[in-house]
Amino acid sequence: MMDPAAPAATEEQAFATEVTRFRAALAAGRSPIFLQLFDLLVERSRDDRAPKEVEIALAIFGRDPGQNDTPDSVVRVTMYRLRKRLDEFYAGQSGLRLDIPKGEYRVVLIPAAAATPVPVTPPAPAPRNNGTPRRTRWLGIVAAVAAINGLGWWYIAARTQENTGRPSRGGFWQALPAGSSPLVAIGDSYMLAETENQKDIKQIVLEPGIRSRSDFGAYLTTHPDAFYRLYDLDMRYTPFGTAVAAWSLLPSLGAEAGGGAGPRLIASSRLTAQMLDANDIVYVGPLAALGLLAAPLFQLSGFSLDATGTTLTDRASQQRYAIRSSQVDGQESREDFGYIASIPGPSGRHILVISGFGDGGVRDMAALVRDTAQMQQLTRRIGSPAAFEALFKVRTAGSVRLARTLVTARPLRAVATPTPRATRP
């Protein structure tokens, strides 16, 4: 006669097996916050009462539930990321899997097909208010996570608005095939958390050479002192100026697509060699965030870019260009540089670059390429080539452009561009 406790024992064993598997994946990713949260949820999953958000905030993030701010946004965003990690871990697998049901804070074992869908965007962060430095840091992280996702909502809004006064085909966009639906790569940076006690975040670090989890792993092999200091939160940051520039270009790109599907958005850090092979690419963002696009661009360019992405050097003259700031009548004035390029990409595709060092340069180049008359005048000046680049000095005061001066505009030798090697797994 079968022991009635056998099925329960089998299910408990399967749960323990999946917990061990997923926990090992989290540990390998060096994400202590996710690991602590997962362990807490597993520990409390057998309780009759699941933990409340405020309990998680206090146990994981060191938040005092008596504070006058609400920690729910931090808990919910981190829970969203943990659910996403679970989905990535079980992608393509059948059978049993772990899940965190929506609206609950416990881990359960279910068939793979019954997993809770992950929402498209994480919940909105709580309103800003004064508080401790640690609270400010976490709100900053939440705001950064929302940047890329916000672009998707802007795109949806742009597609539903009335398309009046859109520019006609030509100018900067003439290299794109008629009716094309380019992939718009938005420049983003990979964020790391710096900590002194492996729990509290001291500050967020943007390391120029680290643009993916694999880059971070390679960095740790050569910087062992950072092993217990830097941690991967699987978060990325897009500058405000880049977001505004991308938003301003969507009507122009939608007009170029005609009746097609229109442009599609992706973070530049998520570009793959296969995407470059299959799509025309429009890059919008800082030079430092070019990622996979840097190789084909600077193979043809007359400039070289330093490892930090903050200095351009003209190969012929050795003239160097970088951001400079100064004070004019008590107000800060900045000398930024904007850069645009049009080059052939792999497999007969094309790459358009709208970039600069800082927000001022990127936003001004987005305004320039929307002006068909100015772009036609620029390309005629350099002979209407199939490939070209142009560098502009852009002087700004705050968010206001004071002047734009052409530094260099030249044709580039259009050659077959090999597919760059991907840096992401």
Side-chain angles (χ1 to χ4, degrees):
M1 183 174 181
M2 181 176 290
D3 183 353
T10 301
E11 182 176 344
E12 186 171 328
Q13 183 178 9
F15 180 80
T17 298
E18 294 306 308
V19 165
T20 301
R21 288 180 59 220
F22 182 63
R23 193 182 189 284
L26 283 181
R30 288 184 45 75
S31 302
I33 295 297
F34 291 138
L35 196 56
Q36 292 174 36
L37 177 58
F38 178 68
D39 286 345
L40 175 64
L41 296 181
V42 170
E43 181 182 350
R44 297 291 299 273
S45 289
R46 293 177 177 82
D47 292 356
D48 292 335
R49 183 184 67 83
K52 297 180 181 296
E53 287 176 349
V54 71
E55 295 178 67
I56 295 174
L58 182 60
I60 303 300
F61 304 107
R63 296 266 186 154
D64 181 353
Q67 290 176 347
N68 60 3
D69 70 320
T70 303
D72 296 357
S73 62
V74 174
V75 175
R76 291 175 185 174
V77 169
T78 310
M79 193 69 68
Y80 162 83
R81 303 299 299 178
L82 184 59
R83 284 192 179 99
K84 188 175 180 182
R85 286 285 184 93
L86 276 169
D87 287 343
E88 292 172 352
F89 179 75
Y90 285 105
Q93 299 184 35
S94 57
L96 297 175
R97 59 157 286 172
L98 299 178
D99 187 48
I100 303 172
K102 187 176 180 181
E104 298 183 34
Y105 296 122
R106 63 172 70 244
V107 178
V108 298
L109 186 71
I110 61 171
T116 303
V118 177
V120 176
T121 56
R128 181 188 301 272
N129 53 75
N130 295 328
T132 64
R134 181 167 56 190
R135 181 188 319 151
T136 302
R137 287 193 292 271
W138 275 107
L139 288 175
I141 294 171
V142 174
V145 173
I148 293 275
N149 292 320
L151 284 172
W153 291 111
W154 289 351
Y155 173 51
I156 293 172
R159 289 291 304 276
T160 58
Q161 291 175 349
E162 291 295 327
N163 299 326
T164 59
R166 288 183 171 177
S168 59
R169 179 172 176 78
F172 188 65
W173 317 110
Q174 60 189 0
L176 297 178
S180 66
S181 177
L183 194 60
V184 182
I186 312 297
D188 68 325
S189 301
Y190 202 75
M191 298 194 306
L192 298 171
E194 183 175 359
T195 177
E196 294 177 346
N197 59 7
Q198 288 79 59
K199 180 179 179 181
D200 298 325
I201 292 178
K202 177 182 178 182
Q203 63 181 345
I204 294 299
V205 178
L206 301 177
E207 191 70 37
I210 302 176
R211 291 189 51 76
S212 67
R213 187 169 296 168
S214 59
D215 287 346
F216 183 41
Y219 178 85
L220 290 176
T221 62
T222 57
H223 298 76
D225 59 303
F227 191 84
Y228 292 107
R229 182 172 56 86
L230 297 180
Y231 286 87
D232 168 27
L233 293 179
D234 194 22
M235 294 183 179
R236 293 168 176 80
Y237 164 75
T238 292
F240 176 75
T242 292
V244 171
W247 160 246
S248 70
L249 290 170
L250 292 178
S252 300
L253 290 166
E256 292 303 313
R264 296 154 292 145
L265 304 182
I266 188 172
S268 64
S269 61
R270 298 192 182 278
L271 275 177
T272 65
Q274 291 74 23
M275 291 177 184
L276 263 64
D277 271 336
N279 298 276
D280 295 301
I281 306 290
V282 176
Y283 172 77
V284 185
L287 287 165
L290 278 163
L292 204 61
L293 296 171
L297 175 60
F298 291 107
Q299 181 187 22
L300 298 179
S301 174
F303 296 103
S304 61
L305 184 68
D306 73 336
T308 65
T310 59
T311 303
L312 272 177
T313 302
D314 191 298
R315 292 191 175 104
S317 66
Q318 292 302 301
Q319 176 70 43
R320 294 160 64 89
Y321 303 97
I323 286 181
R324 292 190 300 177
S325 297
S326 59
Q327 291 288 328
V328 178
D329 296 330
Q331 185 177 18
E332 183 182 28
S333 175
R334 172 171 288 197
E335 185 179 276
D336 200 346
F337 286 88
Y339 175 87
I340 59 173
S342 176
I343 64 170
S347 304
R349 300 292 181 169
H350 208 82
I351 299 173
L352 299 177
V353 176
I354 302 159
S355 189
F357 287 124
D359 273 5
V362 175
R363 293 178 68 170
D364 193 57
M365 293 301 97
L368 174 66
V369 300
R370 294 199 311 271
D371 191 320
T372 302
Q374 285 197 55
M375 286 307 306
Q376 288 177 339
Q377 182 180 359
L378 177 66
T379 53
R380 281 197 301 268
R381 174 173 178 167
I382 55 180
S384 299
F388 70 90
E389 66 180 353
L391 181 69
F392 294 83
K393 181 186 296 183
V394 180
R395 191 160 62 89
T396 62
S399 60
V400 178
R401 174 171 64 84
L402 302 178
R404 177 202 297 148
T405 307
L406 178 63
V407 176
T408 300
R410 56 194 170 202
L412 299 177
R413 182 172 55 91
V415 297
T417 305
T419 302
R421 185 176 179 178
T423 57
R424 290 180 58 86

